[in-house]
Amino acid sequence: MAKRKKRRLFRILIPVENRQDGENLLRLAAALLKDREGQVTLVGVVEVPGEQPLSAGAFEAQERRRVLRELEQAYRHLPLWVKARVRVAHAPWPEILALIPKERIDLLLLPWRSEASDQVLGQSIDALLQETPCDVALVRGHLTGIDRILLPVRSRSPHVDLALRIADALAEAEDAEITLFHAVEEGAGDEEQTLSQFLPLLRGRPRITGRVAVVEQVPESILHEASGHEVIVIGASIRMTPPAPETRLGPIGARLAALTHQALILVRSRRGMEVATKQALQPGPLPMPISTSISVLVDKWFAENTFDSAEFADLRWLLEQKRKQGLTISLGLPALNEEETVGTVIRTIRSALMEEVPLLDEMVLIDSGSTDRTVEIAQEMGIPVYFHSQILPQHGTYQGKGEALWKSLYVLRGDIIVWIDTDIKNIHPRFVYGLIGPLLRSRRIQYVKGFYRRPLREAGKIQASGGGRVTELVARPLLNLFWPELSGLIQPLAGEYAGRRRALERLPFFTGYGVEIGLLIDLLERFGLHSIAQVDLRMRIHHNQPLLALSKMSFSIIQVLLQRLEDRHKIRLLEEFSRSMKLIRYGARHYYLEVEEIRDHERPPMMEIPEYREKFEPLA
């Protein structure tokens, strides 16, 4: 017996700039999908004025993501697919145009806010109607409280057929009547014969009344007829050769747009455009290219991939997303002599994210040889404790936070791994859920870095944002020089981050201070910039390290950057530099130099460790 071919989904794309427009278009999408299998894709759009950098759209992008979440919650009955990445651009249209074939879109629904506007998504309506490679409907006005819908027609065409399907779906949803209105000038011919071509469309549609009017002037008669209807649906009359601008919508469509206050839906069929294209002497203009310069790329990444932890404060929603995706989440706490804060960190996170809402599946402390009560406190609180020197001992051990993180991949079980430092004095659940949120929202994102304001206590006074000295004096300047793609990261050295196991297990880890910068560079090289996101965790209060410790940290980070430059350019740099650093010490009456070796070792990707593969590959 032949296997029945699966019907293809009817796919609708709705770019969302605000909730009001989004709801209006979703009502129409719901009507169109009432009796057919389909999917509605929502994508947020932020248009940044040309004189401003794209990074200025970061706040609006956060607001757009909030609107998408609200629409997703309000229209749960629809088969919605919400694109997690908000498109931020000076001219959003090329972004939407590129998305249509990628998502195999059949119908594009767009808001058309003003009869005086000839721009939608930063593109002229003329060009938009000509370029769109699918059916398109421009919607002006609210589609509620409808009793009568006017469908003006001139002759049978794919544009008119599409207009009728949309009008019919809307009438069914609103319990409204449709007037299919054909006006002909006196003496033009057999009016009834003209209407007969529409009779097949009327069969089986009891809501539609067909009417022919013999008039002196067609546009004025249609305007008069429109006064008794709440919505007008009209098929665009497109010519591929360049006529006067107002005729792109057709002379009647242009006048309706300019002179009526009713809701207006202007539709254009892809099939009708294909016929027109074959008849045209020349194809239409190509869409504007999307700029790919590093500066624009980074600005765009900053606007689209910078989140706020408040976006993910709805823990029940996060839990729902986690369960939908079938994921497990582990929290690793690297620690070294943090008895003052470790108990509060464990208590706060466990209460909010394990007991009240089971977002975390496990929380584990990875100790690097504490000599205070850090380990004892964690054990008393029932938290599993591992000593990183005892994990995979057959592979040796090094000192350093990076070593603890690398080995923790072997003991943590989650699909998503979160790491936060245990010296945070103002710990809040957002330090964890803020990092998890972007990973649950977008499968494209592989890794999330935290950033925050870091107060600096100096001479008994607190500077609100004086922390992060190594970041601003070493890390960010060098990234701007050699890896400008990463120049949009606010705090590349932050100790709070999360990633997908499938990405982390394929990356090498440096064992010391260079682990954060090394992971970022390797993520960029392997997965691309848009695999990385950053999230605002507000403020982080912790012990500020003395200048000498920051000097050693800087030395280590610079070594890692030089090593990655060697890898990129296949040249030797570090042989010419010392692996040891002369530190200046101050005695009671003199100065002296002390030599200390500072070196980050590079651990291979955990997937290359046989014991790891044996443990995790069967699960995969």
mmCIF file with all atom_site columns, all heavy atoms in Angstrom, residues 83-97:
data_model
loop_
_atom_site.group_PDB
_atom_site.id
_atom_site.type_symbol
_atom_site.label_atom_id
_atom_site.label_alt_id
_atom_site.label_comp_id
_atom_site.label_asym_id
_atom_site.label_entity_id
_atom_site.label_seq_id
_atom_site.pdbx_PDB_ins_code
_atom_site.Cartn_x
_atom_site.Cartn_y
_atom_site.Cartn_z
_atom_site.occupancy
_atom_site.B_iso_or_equiv
_atom_site.pdbx_formal_charge
_atom_site.auth_seq_id
_atom_site.auth_comp_id
_atom_site.auth_asym_id
_atom_site.auth_atom_id
_atom_site.pdbx_PDB_model_num
ATOM 1   N N   . LYS A 1 83 ? 11.001 33.143 16.789 1.00 0.00 ? 83 LYS A N   1
ATOM 2   C CA  . LYS A 1 83 ? 12.426 33.237 16.520 1.00 0.00 ? 83 LYS A CA  1
ATOM 3   C C   . LYS A 1 83 ? 13.080 34.002 17.658 1.00 0.00 ? 83 LYS A C   1
ATOM 4   O O   . LYS A 1 83 ? 12.722 35.133 17.965 1.00 0.00 ? 83 LYS A O   1
ATOM 5   C CB  . LYS A 1 83 ? 12.688 33.971 15.199 1.00 0.00 ? 83 LYS A CB  1
ATOM 6   C CG  . LYS A 1 83 ? 12.129 33.278 13.982 1.00 0.00 ? 83 LYS A CG  1
ATOM 7   C CD  . LYS A 1 83 ? 12.802 31.953 13.711 1.00 0.00 ? 83 LYS A CD  1
ATOM 8   C CE  . LYS A 1 83 ? 14.204 32.122 13.211 1.00 0.00 ? 83 LYS A CE  1
ATOM 9   N NZ  . LYS A 1 83 ? 14.822 30.821 12.864 1.00 0.00 ? 83 LYS A NZ  1
ATOM 10  N N   . ALA A 1 84 ? 14.039 33.361 18.313 1.00 0.00 ? 84 ALA A N   1
ATOM 11  C CA  . ALA A 1 84 ? 14.627 33.952 19.502 1.00 0.00 ? 84 ALA A CA  1
ATOM 12  C C   . ALA A 1 84 ? 15.470 35.182 19.181 1.00 0.00 ? 84 ALA A C   1
ATOM 13  O O   . ALA A 1 84 ? 15.601 36.085 19.981 1.00 0.00 ? 84 ALA A O   1
ATOM 14  C CB  . ALA A 1 84 ? 15.489 32.917 20.228 1.00 0.00 ? 84 ALA A CB  1
ATOM 15  N N   . ARG A 1 85 ? 16.043 35.211 17.999 1.00 0.00 ? 85 ARG A N   1
ATOM 16  C CA  . ARG A 1 85 ? 16.920 36.323 17.665 1.00 0.00 ? 85 ARG A CA  1
ATOM 17  C C   . ARG A 1 85 ? 16.121 37.489 17.104 1.00 0.00 ? 85 ARG A C   1
ATOM 18  O O   . ARG A 1 85 ? 15.483 37.378 16.074 1.00 0.00 ? 85 ARG A O   1
ATOM 19  C CB  . ARG A 1 85 ? 17.963 35.871 16.638 1.00 0.00 ? 85 ARG A CB  1
ATOM 20  C CG  . ARG A 1 85 ? 18.878 36.987 16.162 1.00 0.00 ? 85 ARG A CG  1
ATOM 21  C CD  . ARG A 1 85 ? 19.793 36.479 15.076 1.00 0.00 ? 85 ARG A CD  1
ATOM 22  N NE  . ARG A 1 85 ? 20.474 37.559 14.398 1.00 0.00 ? 85 ARG A NE  1
ATOM 23  C CZ  . ARG A 1 85 ? 21.116 37.429 13.243 1.00 0.00 ? 85 ARG A CZ  1
ATOM 24  N NH1 . ARG A 1 85 ? 21.158 36.253 12.652 1.00 0.00 ? 85 ARG A NH1 1
ATOM 25  N NH2 . ARG A 1 85 ? 21.704 38.450 12.686 1.00 0.00 ? 85 ARG A NH2 1
ATOM 26  N N   . VAL A 1 86 ? 16.162 38.598 17.817 1.00 0.00 ? 86 VAL A N   1
ATOM 27  C CA  . VAL A 1 86 ? 15.537 39.818 17.319 1.00 0.00 ? 86 VAL A CA  1
ATOM 28  C C   . VAL A 1 86 ? 16.453 40.428 16.264 1.00 0.00 ? 86 VAL A C   1
ATOM 29  O O   . VAL A 1 86 ? 17.665 40.503 16.435 1.00 0.00 ? 86 VAL A O   1
ATOM 30  C CB  . VAL A 1 86 ? 15.309 40.811 18.474 1.00 0.00 ? 86 VAL A CB  1
ATOM 31  C CG1 . VAL A 1 86 ? 14.890 42.177 17.956 1.00 0.00 ? 86 VAL A CG1 1
ATOM 32  C CG2 . VAL A 1 86 ? 14.248 40.266 19.431 1.00 0.00 ? 86 VAL A CG2 1
ATOM 33  N N   . ARG A 1 87 ? 15.876 40.861 15.146 1.00 0.00 ? 87 ARG A N   1
ATOM 34  C CA  . ARG A 1 87 ? 16.670 41.466 14.071 1.00 0.00 ? 87 ARG A CA  1
ATOM 35  C C   . ARG A 1 87 ? 16.812 42.960 14.325 1.00 0.00 ? 87 ARG A C   1
ATOM 36  O O   . ARG A 1 87 ? 15.801 43.673 14.411 1.00 0.00 ? 87 ARG A O   1
ATOM 37  C CB  . ARG A 1 87 ? 15.996 41.248 12.711 1.00 0.00 ? 87 ARG A CB  1
ATOM 38  C CG  . ARG A 1 87 ? 16.453 40.028 11.943 1.00 0.00 ? 87 ARG A CG  1
ATOM 39  C CD  . ARG A 1 87 ? 16.307 38.759 12.681 1.00 0.00 ? 87 ARG A CD  1
ATOM 40  N NE  . ARG A 1 87 ? 16.727 37.617 11.860 1.00 0.00 ? 87 ARG A NE  1
ATOM 41  C CZ  . ARG A 1 87 ? 16.627 36.362 12.248 1.00 0.00 ? 87 ARG A CZ  1
ATOM 42  N NH1 . ARG A 1 87 ? 16.125 36.086 13.428 1.00 0.00 ? 87 ARG A NH1 1
ATOM 43  N NH2 . ARG A 1 87 ? 17.043 35.375 11.472 1.00 0.00 ? 87 ARG A NH2 1
ATOM 44  N N   . VAL A 1 88 ? 18.043 43.421 14.471 1.00 0.00 ? 88 VAL A N   1
ATOM 45  C CA  . VAL A 1 88 ? 18.336 44.835 14.680 1.00 0.00 ? 88 VAL A CA  1
ATOM 46  C C   . VAL A 1 88 ? 19.093 45.333 13.449 1.00 0.00 ? 88 VAL A C   1
ATOM 47  O O   . VAL A 1 88 ? 20.123 44.764 13.083 1.00 0.00 ? 88 VAL A O   1
ATOM 48  C CB  . VAL A 1 88 ? 19.183 45.057 15.947 1.00 0.00 ? 88 VAL A CB  1
ATOM 49  C CG1 . VAL A 1 88 ? 19.503 46.535 16.125 1.00 0.00 ? 88 VAL A CG1 1
ATOM 50  C CG2 . VAL A 1 88 ? 18.455 44.522 17.172 1.00 0.00 ? 88 VAL A CG2 1
ATOM 51  N N   . ALA A 1 89 ? 18.579 46.383 12.814 1.00 0.00 ? 89 ALA A N   1
ATOM 52  C CA  . ALA A 1 89 ? 19.196 46.837 11.570 1.00 0.00 ? 89 ALA A CA  1
ATOM 53  C C   . ALA A 1 89 ? 18.786 48.266 11.283 1.00 0.00 ? 89 ALA A C   1
ATOM 54  O O   . ALA A 1 89 ? 17.775 48.760 11.798 1.00 0.00 ? 89 ALA A O   1
ATOM 55  C CB  . ALA A 1 89 ? 18.786 45.932 10.404 1.00 0.00 ? 89 ALA A CB  1
ATOM 56  N N   . HIS A 1 90 ? 19.594 48.963 10.473 1.00 0.00 ? 90 HIS A N   1
ATOM 57  C CA  . HIS A 1 90 ? 19.190 50.276 9.973  1.00 0.00 ? 90 HIS A CA  1
ATOM 58  C C   . HIS A 1 90 ? 18.032 50.116 8.992  1.00 0.00 ? 90 HIS A C   1
ATOM 59  O O   . HIS A 1 90 ? 17.131 50.954 8.948  1.00 0.00 ? 90 HIS A O   1
ATOM 60  C CB  . HIS A 1 90 ? 20.370 50.960 9.283  1.00 0.00 ? 90 HIS A CB  1
ATOM 61  C CG  . HIS A 1 90 ? 21.493 51.308 10.213 1.00 0.00 ? 90 HIS A CG  1
ATOM 62  N ND1 . HIS A 1 90 ? 21.307 52.058 11.351 1.00 0.00 ? 90 HIS A ND1 1
ATOM 63  C CD2 . HIS A 1 90 ? 22.816 50.997 10.192 1.00 0.00 ? 90 HIS A CD2 1
ATOM 64  C CE1 . HIS A 1 90 ? 22.469 52.208 11.980 1.00 0.00 ? 90 HIS A CE1 1
ATOM 65  N NE2 . HIS A 1 90 ? 23.391 51.563 11.290 1.00 0.00 ? 90 HIS A NE2 1
ATOM 66  N N   . ALA A 1 91 ? 18.056 49.066 8.205  1.00 0.00 ? 91 ALA A N   1
ATOM 67  C CA  . ALA A 1 91 ? 16.968 48.740 7.278  1.00 0.00 ? 91 ALA A CA  1
ATOM 68  C C   . ALA A 1 91 ? 16.638 47.265 7.479  1.00 0.00 ? 91 ALA A C   1
ATOM 69  O O   . ALA A 1 91 ? 17.328 46.387 6.947  1.00 0.00 ? 91 ALA A O   1
ATOM 70  C CB  . ALA A 1 91 ? 17.381 49.018 5.836  1.00 0.00 ? 91 ALA A CB  1
ATOM 71  N N   . PRO A 1 92 ? 15.615 46.947 8.264  1.00 0.00 ? 92 PRO A N   1
ATOM 72  C CA  . PRO A 1 92 ? 15.331 45.539 8.600  1.00 0.00 ? 92 PRO A CA  1
ATOM 73  C C   . PRO A 1 92 ? 14.886 44.681 7.417  1.00 0.00 ? 92 PRO A C   1
ATOM 74  O O   . PRO A 1 92 ? 14.935 43.458 7.504  1.00 0.00 ? 92 PRO A O   1
ATOM 75  C CB  . PRO A 1 92 ? 14.213 45.638 9.650  1.00 0.00 ? 92 PRO A CB  1
ATOM 76  C CG  . PRO A 1 92 ? 14.232 47.053 10.123 1.00 0.00 ? 92 PRO A CG  1
ATOM 77  C CD  . PRO A 1 92 ? 14.714 47.863 8.975  1.00 0.00 ? 92 PRO A CD  1
ATOM 78  N N   . TRP A 1 93 ? 14.424 45.297 6.335  1.00 0.00 ? 93 TRP A N   1
ATOM 79  C CA  . TRP A 1 93 ? 13.842 44.516 5.258  1.00 0.00 ? 93 TRP A CA  1
ATOM 80  C C   . TRP A 1 93 ? 14.774 43.438 4.699  1.00 0.00 ? 93 TRP A C   1
ATOM 81  O O   . TRP A 1 93 ? 14.333 42.303 4.478  1.00 0.00 ? 93 TRP A O   1
ATOM 82  C CB  . TRP A 1 93 ? 13.350 45.443 4.148  1.00 0.00 ? 93 TRP A CB  1
ATOM 83  C CG  . TRP A 1 93 ? 12.850 44.708 2.946  1.00 0.00 ? 93 TRP A CG  1
ATOM 84  C CD1 . TRP A 1 93 ? 13.337 44.772 1.685  1.00 0.00 ? 93 TRP A CD1 1
ATOM 85  C CD2 . TRP A 1 93 ? 11.784 43.753 2.906  1.00 0.00 ? 93 TRP A CD2 1
ATOM 86  N NE1 . TRP A 1 93 ? 12.640 43.938 0.848  1.00 0.00 ? 93 TRP A NE1 1
ATOM 87  C CE2 . TRP A 1 93 ? 11.671 43.289 1.579  1.00 0.00 ? 93 TRP A CE2 1
ATOM 88  C CE3 . TRP A 1 93 ? 10.915 43.243 3.857  1.00 0.00 ? 93 TRP A CE3 1
ATOM 89  C CZ2 . TRP A 1 93 ? 10.734 42.363 1.184  1.00 0.00 ? 93 TRP A CZ2 1
ATOM 90  C CZ3 . TRP A 1 93 ? 9.971  42.301 3.464  1.00 0.00 ? 93 TRP A CZ3 1
ATOM 91  C CH2 . TRP A 1 93 ? 9.881  41.871 2.148  1.00 0.00 ? 93 TRP A CH2 1
ATOM 92  N N   . PRO A 1 94 ? 16.061 43.719 4.420  1.00 0.00 ? 94 PRO A N   1
ATOM 93  C CA  . PRO A 1 94 ? 16.924 42.641 3.914  1.00 0.00 ? 94 PRO A CA  1
ATOM 94  C C   . PRO A 1 94 ? 17.005 41.451 4.855  1.00 0.00 ? 94 PRO A C   1
ATOM 95  O O   . PRO A 1 94 ? 17.130 40.305 4.414  1.00 0.00 ? 94 PRO A O   1
ATOM 96  C CB  . PRO A 1 94 ? 18.295 43.327 3.757  1.00 0.00 ? 94 PRO A CB  1
ATOM 97  C CG  . PRO A 1 94 ? 17.965 44.767 3.568  1.00 0.00 ? 94 PRO A CG  1
ATOM 98  C CD  . PRO A 1 94 ? 16.769 45.017 4.427  1.00 0.00 ? 94 PRO A CD  1
ATOM 99  N N   . GLU A 1 95 ? 16.911 41.705 6.176  1.00 0.00 ? 95 GLU A N   1
ATOM 100 C CA  . GLU A 1 95 ? 16.928 40.604 7.153  1.00 0.00 ? 95 GLU A CA  1
ATOM 101 C C   . GLU A 1 95 ? 15.693 39.724 6.989  1.00 0.00 ? 95 GLU A C   1
ATOM 102 O O   . GLU A 1 95 ? 15.778 38.497 7.012  1.00 0.00 ? 95 GLU A O   1
ATOM 103 C CB  . GLU A 1 95 ? 16.963 41.182 8.573  1.00 0.00 ? 95 GLU A CB  1
ATOM 104 C CG  . GLU A 1 95 ? 18.118 42.112 8.858  1.00 0.00 ? 95 GLU A CG  1
ATOM 105 C CD  . GLU A 1 95 ? 19.304 41.379 9.428  1.00 0.00 ? 95 GLU A CD  1
ATOM 106 O OE1 . GLU A 1 95 ? 19.122 40.220 9.850  1.00 0.00 ? 95 GLU A OE1 1
ATOM 107 O OE2 . GLU A 1 95 ? 20.398 41.956 9.448  1.00 0.00 ? 95 GLU A OE2 1
ATOM 108 N N   . ILE A 1 96 ? 14.546 40.360 6.848  1.00 0.00 ? 96 ILE A N   1
ATOM 109 C CA  . ILE A 1 96 ? 13.297 39.601 6.675  1.00 0.00 ? 96 ILE A CA  1
ATOM 110 C C   . ILE A 1 96 ? 13.302 38.883 5.338  1.00 0.00 ? 96 ILE A C   1
ATOM 111 O O   . ILE A 1 96 ? 12.890 37.722 5.219  1.00 0.00 ? 96 ILE A O   1
ATOM 112 C CB  . ILE A 1 96 ? 12.090 40.543 6.787  1.00 0.00 ? 96 ILE A CB  1
ATOM 113 C CG1 . ILE A 1 96 ? 12.069 41.231 8.162  1.00 0.00 ? 96 ILE A CG1 1
ATOM 114 C CG2 . ILE A 1 96 ? 10.799 39.773 6.558  1.00 0.00 ? 96 ILE A CG2 1
ATOM 115 C CD1 . ILE A 1 96 ? 12.035 40.282 9.333  1.00 0.00 ? 96 ILE A CD1 1
ATOM 116 N N   . LEU A 1 97 ? 13.790 39.558 4.310  1.00 0.00 ? 97 LEU A N   1
ATOM 117 C CA  . LEU A 1 97 ? 13.836 38.960 2.980  1.00 0.00 ? 97 LEU A CA  1
ATOM 118 C C   . LEU A 1 97 ? 14.683 37.688 2.973  1.00 0.00 ? 97 LEU A C   1
ATOM 119 O O   . LEU A 1 97 ? 14.331 36.686 2.339  1.00 0.00 ? 97 LEU A O   1
ATOM 120 C CB  . LEU A 1 97 ? 14.406 39.984 1.991  1.00 0.00 ? 97 LEU A CB  1
ATOM 121 C CG  . LEU A 1 97 ? 14.162 39.744 0.506  1.00 0.00 ? 97 LEU A CG  1
ATOM 122 C CD1 . LEU A 1 97 ? 12.677 39.685 0.199  1.00 0.00 ? 97 LEU A CD1 1
ATOM 123 C CD2 . LEU A 1 97 ? 14.835 40.834 -0.319 1.00 0.00 ? 97 LEU A CD2 1
#
